[in-house]
Amino acid sequence: MSSFTVADSETPPSLASTPSKTPSSKARSRRSQAESKSRFEAYNRLQAAAVAFSETMPIPEIVAVGGQSDGKSSLLEALLGFRFNVREVEMGTRRPLILQMVHDASALEPRCRFQEEDSEEYGSPVVLASAIADVIKSRTDALLKKTKAAVSSKPIVMRAEYAHCPNLTIIDTPGFVLKAKKGEPENTPDEILSMVKSLASPPHRILLFLQQSSVEWCSSLWLDAIREIDPTYRRTVIVVSKFDNRLKEFSDRWEVDRYLSASGYLGDSTHPFFVALPKDRGSVSNDEFRRQISQVDSEVVRHLREGVKGGFDEEKFKSYIGFGRLRDYLESELQKKYKEAAPATLALLEQRCSEVTSELARMDSKIQATSDVSHLRKFAMMHVASISNHVVGNRYV
C-alpha cells in the first residue's frame, strides 16, 4: 500500500499538535468532515438494506481475514475502543460479523445495536459487554441449528456508536483452521476457506490480512490463499500481529530492516503494518484499555530505537509501525474508496429505482385489470375453453 503521513505513534491522534488554521480553512475542514460522515452513514444504510434483502451491492468494505488466533478479535476490539470478550463466544469460527463503527462524540459509553435478522431495523441498545457477546453467540447458534450447518455466510450486523472509535466498517470473517473442532464436520476448514474467499473476492472490497509475527513469510500457511484472491496485493492491507513477540529477536539494524521490508515475498510496492496490542485480558476500564494500547505503541517504537543497535530505518518504516498508524490508514482508505465509488453507486441505485418503478407499474396494471368484471369474465371463459379443448383432444388420442 502507498505511504501516508499521520501523527507519531507516541502521540494519540486526538492529542497531536496541528498548525493553526484560518477561519476559512477551518470551515473547509468542518465541511469535509461533514461530507465524509454523510457518505459513511449513507453506505452504512445501504449495507444494512443489502444484508436484509440478500442484495448484492458494490459497497466498499474492509474484510478482515486470517488464521484462528492470529489476533483479529483483539484488533477489532482495539478499533472499537472497548472490549466485549468476542473471543469467548468463538464467533469468528462460524459466522461473519459486520462491525459498523460510528464515531459519535456524544457517546461517552459505547452504544451497540444489532440489526434484526432479515430486516433493516436495529434493535434496542446493548450496554453490557457480556450481553454483546451473548447476542452474537445466541444468534449464531440459532441460525446454525436452523440450517443444520457448522458455518454460515449470513452475517450478523452490529452498529457501535462511541466517542473513541473511528468511522469504519469491517467484516470479520471466520478464522482459517487446519482441522475441525471435535463435534464439527471434517470439511469445516474447507467450508470456512471457501466462504472467506467468497467474501473477499469482490473487487470493491479491501482485504485486511493478519498474520502473527512468529510466522516466517516463506512458511505462511494462508498467504497463498490471499494471493489467489488478490495476486498483486493491490487491495490487500497486510498486518503483522503480535509484533512485540518478535522484537526480542532483533539485535542489529540490518535484521530489523530486512524483516520490516519483507523483501522477496510481498513485492516492493507492498508494505505490511506491524502491530502489538496489550496482552492483559483482565478486567480494565475502557479508558485504561485505550491507554494500554497507546503505551504499547510507544514501547514498540522505543525498543526499535534504543533496544536495537543502530535503530531502524524510520524514514522508510515508521509510518507502518503501531496500531494508531493502522487505524488512521484504514479510516482514510475507506473514505477514499467511498468517494471514488459514489458515482457508480448512485448510477446503480437509479437503475434499481427505475426497475422497481417499472415493476410497480406492471403490477398496478394487473390490479386494475382485476377490477374490470367484463375483462375477468372474458379471461375466465377463455381459460375454460382452453381446458375443454385440451380434455376433448385427449379423449380422441
Side-chain angles (χ1 to χ4, degrees):
M1 307 300 289
S2 59
S3 182
F4 60 99
T5 303
V6 294
D8 284 353
S9 295
E10 297 92 323
T11 306
S14 59
L15 301 179
S17 59
T18 56
S20 59
K21 298 181 179 180
T22 64
S24 59
S25 64
K26 287 182 179 180
R28 286 195 297 271
S29 177
R30 286 195 296 269
R31 186 163 58 250
S32 176
Q33 290 175 2
E35 290 173 355
S36 295
K37 187 171 183 179
S38 295
R39 278 194 297 268
F40 180 72
E41 289 287 4
Y43 276 111
N44 270 353
R45 289 196 294 271
L46 277 176
Q47 186 180 56
V51 170
F53 300 109
S54 300
E55 184 67 59
T56 300
M57 293 285 291
I59 301 170
E61 296 159 323
I62 297 174
V63 182
V65 298
Q68 220 174 36
S69 301
D70 277 347
K72 281 197 292 97
S73 298
S74 296
L75 179 63
L76 293 176
E77 289 181 334
L79 288 168
L80 283 165
F82 67 94
R83 284 176 170 159
F84 60 99
N85 302 321
V86 67
R87 294 194 300 184
E88 294 181 9
V89 300
E90 296 184 343
M91 172 279 306
T93 63
R94 298 185 291 165
R95 191 176 176 186
L97 174 68
I98 298 178
L99 280 172
Q100 297 177 335
M101 307 176 200
V102 181
H103 176 75
D104 185 343
S106 68
L108 301 182
E109 293 296 330
R111 293 195 300 258
C112 299
R113 293 183 295 156
F114 286 88
Q115 184 179 339
E116 302 294 345
E117 302 278 17
D118 304 313
S119 170
E120 292 182 82
E121 301 299 321
Y122 289 82
S124 301
V126 179
V127 179
L128 296 176
S130 58
I132 294 172
D134 289 342
V135 171
I136 294 172
K137 186 176 189 305
S138 62
R139 287 198 175 193
T140 300
D141 291 344
L143 179 65
L144 297 182
K145 183 178 180 180
K146 180 180 178 181
T147 58
K148 295 180 173 59
V151 296
S152 172
S153 61
K154 186 175 182 179
I156 296 171
V157 180
M158 186 181 96
R159 179 183 173 93
E161 301 166 351
Y162 195 27
H164 301 286
C165 74
N167 286 318
L168 201 62
T169 298
I170 293 184
I171 303 174
D172 184 27
T173 63
F176 298 130
V177 292
L178 292 174
K179 186 177 180 181
K181 292 194 308 180
K182 185 177 181 180
E184 289 185 344
E186 290 186 5
N187 67 337
T188 296
D190 293 332
E191 285 192 32
I192 290 174
L193 182 59
S194 176
M195 182 206 306
V196 172
K197 284 185 175 180
S198 177
L199 289 168
S201 291
H204 58 272
R205 286 178 171 165
I206 301 169
L207 277 65
L208 179 63
F209 171 62
L210 271 73
Q211 176 174 278
Q212 293 189 50
S213 65
S214 58
V215 178
E216 300 296 337
W217 295 112
C218 60
S219 57
S220 171
L221 290 173
W222 309 119
L223 197 57
D224 286 343
I226 300 304
R227 193 179 289 113
E228 289 178 20
I229 302 169
D230 183 24
T232 61
Y233 306 118
R234 182 181 59 83
R235 56 187 181 90
T236 300
V237 180
I238 297 177
V239 178
V240 177
S241 61
K242 307 179 183 180
F243 183 49
D244 50 333
N245 291 341
R246 189 76 185 230
L247 289 178
K248 58 181 178 291
E249 298 182 15
F250 302 131
S251 57
D252 293 308
R253 174 170 177 154
W254 69 268
E255 294 176 302
V256 178
D257 289 350
R258 185 178 65 176
Y259 179 77
L260 296 178
S261 67
S263 179
Y265 295 103
L266 302 179
D268 294 336
S269 61
T270 303
H271 301 284
F273 285 82
F274 299 86
V275 174
L277 293 169
K279 296 182 182 299
D280 180 19
R281 298 301 301 180
S283 178
V284 297
S285 68
N286 293 335
D287 288 343
E288 174 61 17
F289 175 51
R290 293 190 300 274
R291 190 198 67 78
Q292 289 178 1
I293 292 174
S294 180
Q295 181 181 359
V296 171
D297 269 2
S298 299
E299 289 174 351
V300 167
V301 174
R302 186 181 302 113
H303 181 88
L304 288 173
R305 285 174 175 165
E306 302 173 5
V308 175
K309 185 179 180 180
F312 71 109
D313 189 339
E314 295 198 33
E315 183 178 352
K316 186 175 182 179
F317 299 116
K318 188 180 176 183
S319 295
Y320 302 97
I321 295 175
F323 167 77
R325 302 283 184 164
L326 174 64
R327 176 193 56 206
D328 292 345
Y329 179 75
L330 291 176
E331 187 173 18
S332 64
E333 188 71 3
L334 190 59
Q335 284 294 340
K336 185 176 75 174
K337 296 294 183 184
Y338 282 158
K339 192 172 183 179
E340 292 173 352
T345 303
L346 182 59
L348 179 58
L349 290 174
E350 289 175 343
Q351 177 187 337
R352 296 288 174 87
C353 286
S354 178
E355 292 171 353
V356 171
T357 300
S358 298
E359 181 65 15
L360 288 174
R362 189 177 68 83
M363 297 300 295
D364 186 61
S365 177
K366 283 188 174 183
I367 292 172
Q368 291 295 329
T370 60
S371 64
D372 186 341
V373 177
S374 61
H375 176 82
L376 288 175
R377 185 182 294 113
K378 180 180 178 181
F379 181 79
M381 290 177 67
M382 291 174 60
H383 187 63
V384 170
S386 175
I387 294 176
S388 297
N389 290 336
H390 182 72
V391 172
V392 171
N394 286 340
R395 286 177 60 190
Y396 292 99
V397 172

